């Protein structure tokens, strides 16, 4: 009978052996694997598939003060999803990011690595359309 730790080792070694080795070095084998197995459902490592376009809205301090929570809410409203969810068509995933290091251009978002500076609520629908139209 295998333990949670054994199961986690097996999964991680199949998915990313180098990741498992790095984590053993820093935290000790048992703690890391027990933590990973306990958080498996929530973890990006084990999580649900992401959409084709991952919208990351920075909610770090500078972006938050400049209205990023409203921007995040607007994306969710238009796409009909909550933070951490993916649209039914698999096109968009909406994530809140702690900080993307773009404080000087707050509020900022990132879509598959492309950064949009000083995003206003009025721009959200246009940004979504920009990506949706690529699929037609």
């Amino acid at each position: 009978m295998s333990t949670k730790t054994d199961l986690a080792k097996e999964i991680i070694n199949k998915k990313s052996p180098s990741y498992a080795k790095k984590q053993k070095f820093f935290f000790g084998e048992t703690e890391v694997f027990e933590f990973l197995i306990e958080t498996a459902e929530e973890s990006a490592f084990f999580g649900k598939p992401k959409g084709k376009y991952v919208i990351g809205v920075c909610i770090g301090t500078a972006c938050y003060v400049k209205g990023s929570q409203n921007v995040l809410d607007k994306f969710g409203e238009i796409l009909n999803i909550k933070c951490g969810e993916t649209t039914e068509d698999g096109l968009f995933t909406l994530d809140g990011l702690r900080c993307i290091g773009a404080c000087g251009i707050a509020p900022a978002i990132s879509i598959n690595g492309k950064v949009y500076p000083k995003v206003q609520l009025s721009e959200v629908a246009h940004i979504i359309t920009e990506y949706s139209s690529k699929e037609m």
Side-chain angles (χ1 to χ4, degrees):
M1 179 177 218
S2 55
T3 64
K4 287 181 183 180
T5 302
D6 293 335
L7 178 60
K9 283 181 191 178
E10 183 180 329
I11 292 168
I12 291 171
N13 284 323
K14 283 182 183 175
K15 297 282 185 183
S16 178
S18 62
Y19 175 81
K21 289 175 188 169
K22 288 177 193 172
Q23 297 310 306
K24 283 184 206 178
F25 174 77
F26 288 111
F27 300 107
E29 183 177 355
T30 304
E31 296 162 293
V32 171
F33 290 119
E34 286 177 355
F35 170 77
L36 288 173
I37 199 68
E38 288 171 6
T39 60
E41 292 179 4
E42 299 296 324
S43 169
F45 188 79
F46 294 99
K48 300 175 200 169
K50 298 278 188 183
K52 182 173 182 178
Y53 303 110
V54 179
I55 303 168
V57 179
C58 180
I59 54 174
T61 304
C63 287
Y64 187 84
V65 168
K66 298 254 183 157
S68 66
Q69 183 64 54
N70 294 330
V71 171
L72 179 66
D73 293 343
K74 190 68 171 177
F75 272 106
E77 177 187 318
I78 293 171
L79 294 170
N80 198 32
I81 57 174
K82 295 178 184 172
C83 190
E85 294 181 343
T86 300
T87 55
E88 287 184 19
D89 61 8
L91 275 183
F92 297 100
T93 296
L94 182 60
D95 285 332
L97 306 176
R98 293 295 163 213
C99 182
I100 63 171
C103 303
I105 56 171
I109 68 165
S110 171
I111 301 179
N112 292 7
K114 180 180 179 182
V115 176
Y116 290 79
K118 300 182 180 181
V119 177
Q120 301 299 310
L121 291 176
S122 59
E123 299 173 295
V124 172
H126 174 72
I127 292 169
I128 292 170
T129 302
E130 177 185 337
Y131 286 90
S132 296
S133 66
K134 291 180 182 181
E135 301 304 313
M136 295 180 178

